[in-house]
Amino acid sequence: MSSYNEDDAFEAAARVPLSQRAMQGAMADRPAPYLDDLNPEQRRAAETLDGPVLMLAGAGTGKTKALTTRIAHLLNTGTALPNQILAVTFTNKAAREMKDRVGRHLGGPAEGMPWMGTFHSICVKLLRRHAELIPIRAQASDDVLDEGDSAAQPAAVHLKNTFTILDTDDQIRLLKQLITAEGLDEKRWPARALAGVIDNWKNRAWTPEAVPAAESSAFNDRGVKLYAAYQRRLIELNAVDFGDLLLHVVSIFQNHEDVLAQYQRWFRYILVDEYQDTNVAQYLWLRLLAAKHRNICCVGDDDQSIYGWRGAEVGNILRFEKDFPGAAVIRLEQNYRSTPHILAAASAVIAGNKGRLGKELWTEAEEGEKVRLMGHWDGEEEARWVGEEIEDARAGRGRYRDRDNPRSETFQQELDRRAKQGLGRVTRQEFVRWAFESGTAFSDFKVQKLLKILLRDDPKAENMYKALLASPVDKYSYNEIVILVRASHQMRAFEDRFLTIGLPYRVIGGPRFYERLEIRDAMAYFRLAVSPDDSLAFERIVNTPKRGLGNVAQQKIQTTARANGVSLVEGARILLESGGIGGKGAKELRALIDGIGRWHGAVLDDRTSHIELAEVILDESGYTTHWQNDKSPDAPGRLENLKELVKALENFDNLQGFLEHVALIMDNDREEAEDKVTIMTLHGAKGLEFPAVFLPGWEDGLFPSQRSMDESGVKGLEEERRLAYVGITRAEEICTITFAANRRVYGQWQSQMPSRFVDELPEDHVEVLTAPGLYGGGYGAAAPSAAVEERASKADVYSSPGWKRMQARSQSGPSRAASMVIDAKAVSKFTAGERIFSQKFGYGTILGVENDTLDVEFDKAGAKKVKAGFVVAAERADDVPF
DNA sequence: GAGGTTGCTATTTTT
DNA sequence: TAGCAACCTC
C-alpha cells in the first residue's frame, strides 16, 4: 500500500474509457477544430504543450476556456493520457467547472481524469496512499503533556491511511486542551489565535522543527512547543487538519525521493489555476512535482491576488520565469466581459500598484455607460439610494429608461417575430433552441426555470411561456445585479433597507451548511459509527444531548482513557465496568456506548442502508428528540437541516464516502432559482460577473481597510487596491461606486473621507451623479450638467486636493446649498478645551485630540468622536450658511 | 442545567 | 452598538 506501485500506471491507463482512447487515435493526426474558437493568445496557450508556461490572464479574458481547451488538446493529440495530467484548482466549484468543460470538449463526461481537483482533495488521495510515511515526532524531553499523557494511545507510531480530517471546531478544542496543559491562561492566549499562528506556519510548509528562530516568540514563547505537541496529538488521534494535507505531502516528497520520483514521472503535464493564490506549501508541492518534466502551466493574474492575508504569495507568480527559466509567458488581454469605460476605470486604479507583471486589457465591446460615482450623507441613505436604483434598473425607469440592454433587445425581437407570426404552438425543441440562441434572455431566472420545467415535459409549460411573453420586459433582472462590500457588516444596512421595501435579495457567505452546529453534531455521531476510536467526535457529543455527564464525568473518562492508553469510548467502557461512575450518567453513558457499538456493527455488516442507519443513529442517540423538544425559534430550522443532511447521503454509497466528501467540500453554492439581488463580499465575488455591480462604502478606513493598511502597510494597501480592481472588473455593463460622508462604526458616528481609490478613478470614464449642494453631495462631486456650479466643474472635482476637500452641507435643504470648504488637514488648529461647532451635532467642547480625530463632548448630542475636518471653531460657526 | 449578567471585541475565508 | 462567550447564580 505504502509505496507507489508502477503497476498502477498500467492499470490506470487501462481504465481510460474506450471512447477516449479511440478518440485519441482518431484525432491524433487531424486538425483540431476546437482551437478555432480561441483568439491567438488563447490558442498559443492551448497549443504550447511542452515546457513551462505562464498564462497571465486578466479578468474576463477567457482563461478557463484556454485552460480547458489545452487539456482537451493534450488528450486529443495523444500527448498525454487522462491520468497523466495533474490539474489543480482552489475551489471545488472551479474543479467542477473544469471537469464539465473538458467533458464538453471531449463530448462526454471527463471521467478517467483522476488527478483533476483541488489541492486539498488531491493531497488527501496522495496522503491516503502514503500515510505511514508520516512518523510520530520523537518525543522531546520538555514536551507538553509530558507526565501521564505519554501513555495515551501509544500504538501510534505513524499516521494511518484511515486518518480523519479535522474541522476547525475539533482543532480549537484540541488546542484548548494543550494550552491549558501548558499552564497558560486560555483567556489571554486564546486557542483561536494559536490556530492562526500554526496555520500560518503550515502555509509556509514549516514543520515544528523547521519554524525559524525568529518566530520563537510567538504565542508567549510557547508557540513552537505547542505546535509540536499539537502535531503529535494529531497523529496519536490518527487525524490531520487542513494545513497538514499539504504539509504532510510536501514532507513525504522531501524525505522520500523514491515516492517523489514516481509521481514526477507520473504527472507529465501539470496545470494550475489561480496561481497567484498559491501559498508557500503549495508552491513547493508544485515545484517538486514539476521538477522532472517541467511541463507546468500556471494560470493566474497578479492583479487579482487578494488572499495574501491567508498565506498566498503574489511572489510565486512574479517569480515564475526565474523558477522555470525559458518559460513561455502568454498574456490574455482581450476582455470579453466589460465595457471600455469599466475596463479603463479598473486599469487606472490598478496602475497605482508597483511591481506588477503588467497587462493591458482591451475590448471590442461598445462604449456603454461610464462608471458612476455617487456620494451620500450616510450609510442609510446609501442603502436607500441603491435600493431605488435597483428598482429603476429593473423597471427601466429614470436613468435606465433609454438604456439599450442587448439581452432585452434579443428578447424583444423574438417577441415581435412571434407576434407577427401569430404565436403558434411552442414545441420543446423550439423553445430550447431559442433560449440557447438568445443567450440569457431578459430575465435569466425565468428562462432557466421554464427550461427546467419544459425539460421535464410539464404540461404547464406552455402557459408559463405565454405568461412570460405577456410580462413586461425587465431591463435588468434582480439576478443580474450584485452589491459587493468590503466587510460583511456592511451588508446589514442593505438587508434592512431591502426588507422594508420588499426587494428580494440573497446573501452569499453566511455560515455554511456543514459548519452549522447541528450538522457538525450529527456528523460527529456518524464519525463514531464509522470509527469508534474517533475521540474528538466522542468528546463533542458525549453530553449532547444532555446525558448528565458534566465536567467531572468527562474528566474521569479522559483520565481513564489516558491511563489505559485507549480511545475515549474504550476509556468510558472501562470506567463503567470499574464502577467509577454512577447514577443517571452511568446509565446514559452505557446506552451511548452500546449505541456506538451497535452502529459501528451496522456500518461493518452493511445490511442496513446507510441512509436508514443515519436516521437510526440520530433517533437512538436522542439527537432528533433533543431538537424537537427545544423551544427556541431556530430549532425547526435545525431539524430541517438534519433532514437535508440525511437527504444528502443519497448521493453516496456509504457513510465513509460521505464523511470524506464533506470534510473537503464545505459546499456553499446551492443554486437558487429565484430572482434576487445578490449581496456578497468582494472576496467572494472573484471569478464571477454581473451585468450591474454596486460597490458601496468606498471610504478611507473602510475601503481600503484601515486595519489592512496598519498591519501590512503598502503591501496591505496594494492588496486592497487589487480588491478594488476585482470589484470593478466584475461588472459587464454598469458599475456604480458609492461612498458616504458619515457612518456608524461600533455604535459611534464617524465622518468618512472618500476612498483614495475614488481619486484614482480616471475622470474621463466616470460620471459623477452626486448633485451639488444636495445632502450628501457635500464632497467636491458635482453634476457636470449643473452650470451654476461653474467652480466645481468636473476638472475641478478631480484636481486634488479639491476632490479631497469636503464641503459643508446646508441642513436646511438643498436649495440653499452650502459650499464652505473646510481643510481636512487643519488638524493642529484644535486643542483640548476649545469650543467647536459641527454641522451634525452642533456646539461642543473638545476633550481630546488624536491626529485628525477629535473627542468632543457635544452640548446636545453627548460624547462623540469626529474628524477634525467636519468641525469649525465655535466663533466661526456663523461662516456656515443656513 | 437553565437563564441572566458581564465583559470583550470588532476584515477579508477556502479547504 | 451588537453579538458572543464565559461566568455566575439559583
Side-chain angles (χ1 to χ4, degrees), chain A residues 481-485 490-491 494-495 498 505-509 677-681:
Chain A
I481 300 171
V482 71
I483 298 169
L484 301 178
V485 297
Q490 291 173 261
M491 294 178 177
F494 293 97
E495 290 196 62
F498 294 174
Y505 69 89
R506 96 189 97 224
V507 169
I508 308 278
V677 171
T678 305
I679 305 175
M680 63 171 137
T681 63

Side-chain angles (χ1 to χ4, degrees), chain A residues 809-827:
Chain A
R809 306 142 314 271
S810 158
Q811 289 193 325
S812 56
S815 56
R816 306 225 241 130
S819 62
M820 187 190 79
V821 173
I822 300 172
D823 189 346
K825 289 200 176 123
V827 182

Side-chain angles (χ1 to χ4, degrees), chain A residues 344-346 348-349 371-373 698 728 737 756-766 798 803:
Chain A
V349 170
V371 169
R372 310 176 323 147
L373 184 61
W698 279 42
I728 298 171
I737 294 169
R756 62 195 70 191
F757 300 149
V758 168
D759 289 343
E760 296 170 7
L761 293 169
E763 146 181 24
D764 291 345
H765 303 281
V766 172
Y798 281 96
W803 185 234

Side-chain angles (χ1 to χ4, degrees), chain A residues 26 85 100 112 162 218 255 493 529 566-567 581 633 669 676 688 882:
Chain A
I85 299 173
D100 286 353
T162 50
N255 299 326
V566 292
S567 70
I581 193 170
D669 38 45
K676 290 174 174 175
L688 304 179
F882 279 89

Side-chain angles (χ1 to χ4, degrees), chain A residues 375-560:
Chain A
H376 298 280
W377 168 239
D378 63 13
E380 245 173 73
E381 192 195 292
E382 181 182 54
R384 200 178 317 129
W385 184 82
V386 169
E388 280 162 16
E389 283 291 305
I390 289 172
E391 291 297 19
D392 281 354
R394 191 170 94 106
R397 274 198 303 265
R399 252 193 300 283
Y400 300 84
R401 193 180 315 130
D402 303 321
R403 173 160 293 128
D404 298 328
N405 183 339
R407 297 153 202 265
S408 306
E409 269 183 6
T410 316
F411 182 70
Q412 195 60 55
Q413 281 162 13
E414 177 64 18
L415 282 185
D416 295 344
R417 196 173 66 78
R418 288 194 169 268
K420 265 183 221 148
Q421 290 176 354
L423 239 189
R425 239 190 101 71
V426 186
T427 68
R428 184 171 103 182
Q429 285 86 349
E430 196 182 347
F431 181 81
V432 171
R433 206 187 60 230
W434 168 77
F436 278 123
E437 277 172 4
S438 63
T440 42
F442 73 95
S443 174
D444 288 317
F445 96 99
K446 282 182 193 157
V447 170
Q448 281 164 10
K449 204 168 185 177
L450 200 55
L451 257 174
K452 267 184 202 156
I453 292 169
L454 278 162
L455 290 171
R456 266 191 254 121
D457 273 328
D458 191 310
K460 283 189 208 130
E462 195 172 332
N463 286 338
M464 269 202 72
Y465 181 74
K466 281 180 185 159
L468 186 85
L469 293 180
S471 65
V473 176
D474 293 345
K475 287 286 182 184
Y476 290 91
S477 71
Y478 291 133
N479 272 334
E480 292 176 313
I481 300 171
V482 71
I483 298 169
L484 301 178
V485 297
R486 172 67 247 262
S488 39
H489 65 250
Q490 291 173 261
M491 294 178 177
R492 179 128 181 210
F494 293 97
E495 290 196 62
D496 285 352
R497 182 63 195 161
F498 294 174
L499 239 36
T500 52
I501 62 173
L503 197 158
Y505 69 89
R506 96 189 97 224
V507 169
I508 308 278
R512 279 173 283 279
F513 183 71
Y514 288 111
E515 273 172 12
R516 286 160 210 238
L517 176 99
E518 67 276 15
I519 300 302
R520 293 191 148 173
D521 286 343
M523 299 285 295
Y525 276 106
F526 297 165
R527 271 162 64 185
L528 280 169
V530 170
S531 44
D533 280 349
D534 194 330
S535 295
L536 286 164
F538 182 76
E539 213 172 84
R540 182 178 179 105
I541 53 83
V542 223
N543 205 27
T544 313
K546 299 276 180 276
R547 297 194 169 87
L549 297 161
N551 274 339
V552 185
Q554 290 188 38
Q555 276 305 322
K556 277 188 193 163
I557 298 175
Q558 291 272 1
T559 318
T560 315

Side-chain angles (χ1 to χ4, degrees), chain A residues 119-121 123-124 127 164-168 171 199 202-203 230 234 239-248 515 520 660-666:
Chain A
F119 276 102
H120 293 267
S121 69
C123 281
V124 172
L127 198 53
T164 45
I165 302 165
L166 293 196
D167 62 32
T168 335
Q171 207 183 336
D199 216 49
K202 287 187 175 176
N203 283 339
Y230 172 64
L234 284 179
V240 301
D241 65 17
F242 274 115
D244 284 337
L245 290 175
L246 268 146
L247 181 70
H248 285 334
E515 273 172 12
R520 293 191 148 173
E660 174 102 8
H661 166 83
V662 166
L664 289 172
I665 280 283
M666 295 284 168

